[in-house]
Structure formats: C-alpha cells, structure tokens
Amino acid sequence: MSRSEPLFAPRRRSRPVQVGKVVVGGEAPVSVQSMTNTDTRDVTATAEQIAALAEAGADLVRISCPDIIAAEAVGPLVAQSTVPLVADIHFDHRLALIALEGGIDCLRINPGNIGSKERVGEVVRAARERKVPIRIGVNAGSLEKDLLARYGEPCADAMVASGLRHIRILEDLDYPEIKISLKASSVAMTVEAYRKLAKQVDYPLHLGITEAGGLLPGSVKSAIGLGLLLSEGIGDTLRVSLSADPIEEVRVGFDILKTLGLRTRGVNLISCPTCSRQEFPVIDVVATLEKRLAHIREAVNLSVIGCIVNGPGEARECHVGLVGGGGDNLLYLDGKPAEKIEDHQLVSRLVQEVELAAAKIRDNKA
Ligand code: SF4
C-alpha cells in the first residue's frame, strides 16, 4: 500500500473529556458526530435513526430537546442507544436537568443562555454528579447582542469572546469538563476563530462549518475548513453539517478523516475519472460498489480503474484491484494479477473479494 509523510502538524494537546464510553480530546482518535433530524418526542423513529447513524460509524449522536416531552425521551433513547448521546438544549435549564436524569452522556448548552447563575449552578451540580461534560456551542448566527455591538458584526474575535465568556462561567463553578465549538457558515471565519481559541484554552475542540449547505457544496466547504484545521493539529471531534440525510454527515466526516490519514473505516475506493479509453462502465460499477460495500467497516483498499494506463499501478497498491480490459478485465489480489473476469461478473467478484479481504483484516486483529 502506498505510504507518504503525514501532511499535518502535530496534534494540539487538549484535555481529554469522557463522553460516555468515548474519549474526546487528548490522544483519542478524532470522533465523528451527527445529529438526528427526527422529532425527538417520537422515541421509535429517533431510536431508529440513532441506530442507523451508529451503524454508519457515528461515534456520538446529538439529539435536540426543545421541550419537556423531548427531554423526557432521553431516558428511553439512552437505554436503546449503542453510542453516547448528546442533548442539545437552549434557554431552559429544566430541560438539561431532565436530560441528565435520563442518563444523557453530554449536554450541549451555552451556560450564558440558560438562565440565572443559580440555574447554571444547578445544572453543573447535576452534571458533576453524573460526570457529564458540557459542550459550549458558539454560532456566528446567534452571538450575544453586546458582542455584536462591540465588534460591529459577526467575526472570529466575537466568536472567541463569546466562547471564553461561556467557558468562564463553567470555570468559575470549577467545572472543566468542557468541549467547545465555534461555528460559522464562512469557512474563513470558522478557521480563524478556532485558530485563535486553540491558542488560549486546552479544552477539546468540536469542529464544524455550520449551515454548510447541501451534500456537495456542504461537503466541499466542510472538507476545506475542517481539513485546514485538522492539518494544523486542531480538532478533537467533528460534525459535518449538511442539508442532507444525517447518514451522509457521518460518511463525509469519515472521508475527511480518512483522506488526512487520521482514521480508517470502510473501503477506500480508488477509481478513475473515466475517459474514452474505459473498457467497462466505470461510473456505474463504482456507484453500485459504493452501495454494495457500505457495510464494510475494515479499511480495505480497492481500485477500480477503466484501462491499462493507470490500472496496474493502482491495483498493485491495493488489497483488491480491477483493471479494465475489454471484456477481459484483470482482477488483482494483494497487489498481484489473479484472474481474468468478464464484464457481467465485475461487481459480484469485487464484492466477494472485498468481503474476503475485510474478513482477513478482522482475523488478523482478533
Ligand atoms: Fe481513461 Fe484509463 Fe485514465 Fe480511466 S485510467 S481515465 S479509462 S485513461
């Protein structure tokens, strides 16, 4: 397999926090999060979506709790979930207390927005008892009025000032179990804000470009913003925010981490962009393979290349490779030519061989 030097700076040293069974920060791998978009009060639908997100690889799942019935759903949802859950709460401290009682693993609240000092103290006391961390989530679209007045408009400095303000509230209560996000829809503003905050605190950072858009533009924005930060060693957990199925957020999050060599999961599919030399319909085969191989968790390298120009070179570096050859396509296994396969067998043989390669990786780990 091809190997090259990592293209990023050493990771920023952050203070690890425990979110249920998942460590965020410190030496822990950068975790991938998403958020349900079902009605949290509908426990069945939400539990199903949490399970689907976990199956897709989400390490953590956030659920919103806009009212008491949603907060009361936390208990049954936690009981059914295989991954730690984060409750997203605004304005009402009682919802945080109910979620904590239900066994939530993390709260996403901004302490400055949930009421008086006494109320914040009450939430922190309950969180401390249960060892539940708090994620402070600053969003450029909802900055405090006085900060907007001071800075004139949403900007990185205003976001950092807001983050530090919420952090101080928790530090004054001697509660350092904190993660922080500073999200804007502008990549430049987001990157600047995280860079500045990263120099001032050692809490783990939750990365994200907020309201990034639909699947394609949102993925591009997120990959650039999160990629820049991660390449500088900044970031301990991430969410890719897309106007799309939340499962896609998990897939794109993993793709960003896989591309940077920070995590491995599932098939790394190398395929050519196609041209008139292609000896089989590469685009169709790749689209089918992506669906048929979505269940693979092991890091299997698969190359699917339309012709002999680049095919053998890529196949030699992969667990499984295919080189187009006009009805006489060549299958490579572990970097070596293995057998010729006809067009109609392409997908089924590749799926079979990738599954075998995944099983071998599993056995070697066991
Ligand atoms: Fe075209 Fe072959 Fe390159 Fe694919 S590998 S883009 S088919 S020349």
Side-chain angles (χ1 to χ4, degrees), residues 127-320:
R128 195 195 309 271
E129 269 168 27
R130 294 168 174 84
K131 298 189 168 52
V132 168
I134 292 175
R135 199 252 288 182
I136 292 166
V138 172
N139 191 311
S142 54
L143 286 167
E144 295 90 329
K145 282 200 185 93
D146 67 307
L147 288 176
L148 284 177
R150 190 193 316 161
Y151 291 94
E153 59 183 0
C155 62
D157 287 326
M159 291 165 71
V160 172
S162 173
L164 290 172
R165 179 181 285 182
H166 294 297
I167 288 169
R168 269 188 210 114
I169 295 173
L170 296 181
E171 285 181 340
D172 285 348
L173 291 162
D174 190 25
Y175 199 62
E177 305 307 315
I178 303 173
K179 297 182 283 160
I180 313 143
S181 62
L182 301 176
K183 300 186 184 180
S185 55
S186 149
V187 169
M189 197 190 299
T190 306
V191 169
E192 186 188 345
Y194 279 106
R195 280 178 178 156
K196 287 184 165 164
L197 186 69
K199 290 193 185 125
Q200 299 186 51
V201 296
D202 69 349
Y203 300 114
L205 297 178
H206 164 126
L207 303 185
I209 307 294
T210 195
E211 291 125 23
L215 180 56
L216 183 59
S219 300
V220 172
K221 273 192 207 171
S222 300
I224 292 173
L226 275 48
L228 275 168
L229 290 164
L230 290 164
S231 73
E232 295 169 17
I234 296 171
D236 301 286
T237 183
L238 62 84
R239 179 197 178 190
V240 174
S241 299
L242 300 174
S243 305
D245 186 332
I247 299 282
E248 301 293 352
E249 298 188 347
V250 178
R251 291 195 182 127
V252 175
F254 264 98
D255 276 340
I256 292 171
L257 294 176
K258 277 157 71 173
T259 305
L260 290 168
L262 293 173
R263 294 278 301 263
T264 56
R265 182 189 163 92
V267 176
N268 175 31
L269 208 164
I270 295 155
S271 60
C272 74
T274 77
C275 73
S276 66
R277 286 182 196 269
Q278 66 182 329
E279 302 276 13
F280 65 91
V282 175
I283 293 175
D284 291 348
V285 167
V286 166
T288 310
L289 285 170
E290 278 180 346
K291 286 196 192 104
R292 297 266 306 264
L293 295 172
H295 64 291
I296 302 285
R297 294 172 180 215
E298 293 72 20
V300 178
N301 292 317
L302 165 67
S303 68
V304 178
I305 307 290
C307 81
I308 201 163
V309 171
N310 291 322
E314 293 291 355
R316 276 196 289 273
E317 304 296 326
C318 287
H319 297 99
V320 181

Side-chain angles (χ1 to χ4, degrees), residues 50-98:
I50 292 169
L53 289 166
E55 179 62 29
D59 300 296
L60 303 168
V61 174
R62 180 155 51 115
I63 55 176
S64 59
C65 295
D67 60 29
I68 289 196
I69 302 172
E72 282 170 347
V74 164
L77 290 171
V78 166
Q80 292 176 66
S81 177
T82 57
V83 292
L85 300 184
V86 183
D88 191 280
I89 287 160
H90 295 266
F91 313 124
D92 187 344
H93 83 296
R94 289 172 308 160
L95 304 177
L97 294 174
I98 296 168

